[in-house]
């Protein structure tokens, strides 16, 4: 590891389409629910997912033990069984742990790794670049930088210009709200950069400004709607793409009121896809909140698209 040639693949644009940021089915004791994981993945693929982003913030990674994160990656990749391309998030509180997770993800069969900037503390540009250097050099699979507001005041375009020179770095997940930034980044490396939009509410904005697809939390419960946004955009049907984005946003507004992770886990649990509870300190929805959530999702049109979830 660590001495690989710069990008052995022909193009950096490896990931295109819709990638749910996979929920983690887990017991209160921290054990991965394998049956629930398999059912969830099957459901997502049936409804149009092109692959998965495993072990990210939606997957509650920072509330999990390292061993549970390793088990999640292994079992998820086993359940996917080549039916979609998969990125494993390996960002951690220490570089050592990140390297351990990266190597385990590669061994388990991940197509790429990804990492947020170092959590908790703020670092300078060169420190952040070195962080990504250590992670990318630990494996021989591609790496996507996860650009979000953990960067603080650092310019993401300058950061990406530097990290794209590192062996294996092919692009980024962009979870920020300034789409001019995304446009600027899309021109780096002569446009040969793999860009995936992060904010669910603005997938269409990301596609317009150069993203090759999207990774999102609420893709878990409505991958087909996001696939329709993506498909309509690719066909040049902006009216349909916008209408489907508005449909997704109506549903997102409901989920945000109740907490996205616990609301989505509740929906799957009640239909026999056992995901367990959201990791503590999250608390369960009350019976009243559950009923109100279902009523508001009905009004937002969710069950019209996914009647099997009603």
């Amino acid at each position: 590891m660590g001495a690989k040639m710069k990008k052995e693949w022909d193009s950096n644009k490896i990931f295109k389409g819709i990638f749910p940021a996979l929920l983690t089915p887990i017991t209160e004791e921290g054990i991965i629910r394998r049956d629930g994981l398999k059912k969830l993945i099957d459901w997502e693929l049936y409804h149009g997912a092109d692959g998965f982003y495993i072990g990210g913030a939606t997957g509650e990674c920072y509330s999990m033990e390292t061993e549970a994160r390793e088990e999640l990656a292994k079992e998820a990749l086993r359940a996917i069984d080549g039916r979609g391309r998969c990125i494993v998030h390996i960002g951690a509180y220490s570089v050592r742990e990140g390297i351990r997770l990266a190597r385990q993800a590669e061994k388990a069969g991940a197509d790429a790794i990804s990492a947020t900037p170092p959590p908790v503390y703020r670092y300078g540009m060169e420190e952040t670049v070195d962080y990504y250097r250590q992670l990318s050099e630990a494996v021989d699979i591609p790496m996507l930088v996860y650009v979000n507001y953990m960067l603080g005041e650092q310019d993401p375009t300058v950061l990406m210009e530097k990290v794209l020179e590192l062996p294996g770095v092919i692009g980024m997940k962009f979870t920020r709200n300034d789409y001019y930034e995304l446009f600027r980044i899309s021109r780096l490396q002569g446009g040969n950069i793999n860009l995936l939009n992060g904010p669910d509410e603005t997938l269409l904005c990301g596609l317009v400004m150069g993203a090759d697809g999207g990774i999102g939390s609420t893709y878990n419960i409505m991958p087909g709607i996001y696939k329709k946004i993506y498909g309509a955009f690719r066909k040049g049907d902006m009216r349909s793409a916008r209408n489907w984005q508005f449909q997704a946003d109506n549903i997102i507004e409901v989920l945000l009121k109740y907490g996205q992770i616990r609301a989505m886990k509740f929906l799957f649990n009640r239909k026999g896809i056992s995901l367990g509870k959201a990791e503590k300190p999250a608390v369960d929805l009350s019976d009243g909140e559950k009923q109100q959530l279902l009523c508001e999702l009905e009004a937002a049109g969710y069950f019209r698209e996914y009647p099997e979830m009603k």
Side-chain angles (χ1 to χ4, degrees), residues 173-192:
K173 177 188 177 186
F174 180 85
T175 306
R176 294 167 70 94
N177 296 319
D178 184 344
Y179 281 96
Y180 180 56
E181 288 181 343
L182 182 62
F183 167 70
R184 291 175 64 210
I185 292 168
S186 74
R187 297 185 295 176
L188 297 175
Q189 299 281 318
N192 186 24

Side-chain angles (χ1 to χ4, degrees), residues 103-275:
R103 289 173 174 165
Q104 189 270 340
E106 180 179 35
K107 183 178 179 180
D111 295 292
I113 56 169
S114 178
T116 56
V120 184
Y121 303 112
R122 291 281 185 256
Y123 294 93
M125 180 67 70
E126 295 307 317
E127 292 171 314
T128 304
V129 172
D130 189 60
Y131 164 79
Y132 284 114
R133 178 190 62 76
Q134 292 183 68
L135 295 177
S136 66
E137 288 184 351
V139 295
D140 289 320
I141 55 176
M143 180 173 191
L144 290 159
V145 174
Y146 187 159
V147 172
N148 58 19
Y149 287 100
M150 289 182 188
L151 283 178
E153 299 302 316
Q154 294 184 58
D155 186 330
T157 306
V158 175
L159 173 68
M160 288 307 300
E161 191 170 26
K162 292 177 179 292
V163 297
L164 282 168
E165 296 300 322
L166 299 174
V169 177
I170 63 170
M172 62 180 280
K173 177 188 177 186
F174 180 85
T175 306
R176 294 167 70 94
N177 296 319
D178 184 344
Y179 281 96
Y180 180 56
E181 288 181 343
L182 182 62
F183 167 70
R184 291 175 64 210
I185 292 168
S186 74
R187 297 185 295 176
L188 297 175
Q189 299 281 318
N192 186 24
I193 174 174
N194 202 171
L195 299 176
L196 293 166
N197 185 76
D200 299 19
E201 302 90 333
T202 50
L203 169 61
L204 183 56
C205 297
L207 294 172
V208 169
M209 298 306 281
D212 302 300
I215 297 168
S217 302
T218 61
Y219 293 22
N220 278 279
I221 65 161
M222 46 180 171
I225 291 179
Y226 289 104
K227 193 66 175 283
K228 288 174 180 176
I229 297 169
Y230 178 77
F233 172 79
R234 297 280 292 179
K235 292 176 183 177
D237 184 357
M238 294 299 292
R239 180 187 295 271
S240 293
R242 185 179 64 179
N243 287 341
W244 283 115
Q245 182 69 74
F246 289 168
Q247 174 69 78
D249 290 355
N250 288 335
I251 296 166
I252 290 170
E253 284 187 9
V254 175
L255 294 173
L256 288 174
K257 288 174 62 176
Y258 297 93
Q260 291 186 84
I261 294 173
R262 62 180 188 161
M264 291 190 292
K265 283 194 169 185
F266 161 68
L267 290 171
F268 282 116
N269 285 334
R270 68 190 290 269
K271 302 310 295 182
I273 300 178
S274 181
L275 305 189

Side-chain angles (χ1 to χ4, degrees), residues 16-20 44-45 48-52 83-85 227 230:
K16 297 180 181 181
I18 298 304
F19 297 82
E44 305 286 0
L45 290 169
D50 294 297
F52 298 93
R83 292 178 292 168
R85 288 192 162 175
K227 193 66 175 283
Y230 178 77

Side-chain angles (χ1 to χ4, degrees), residues 267 270 294 297-298 301-307 309-310:
L267 290 171
R270 68 190 290 269
L294 295 175
L297 286 174
E298 178 80 61
Y302 176 69
F303 297 118
R304 183 173 61 248
E305 296 300 319
Y306 297 96
M309 296 293 284
K310 189 169 182 177

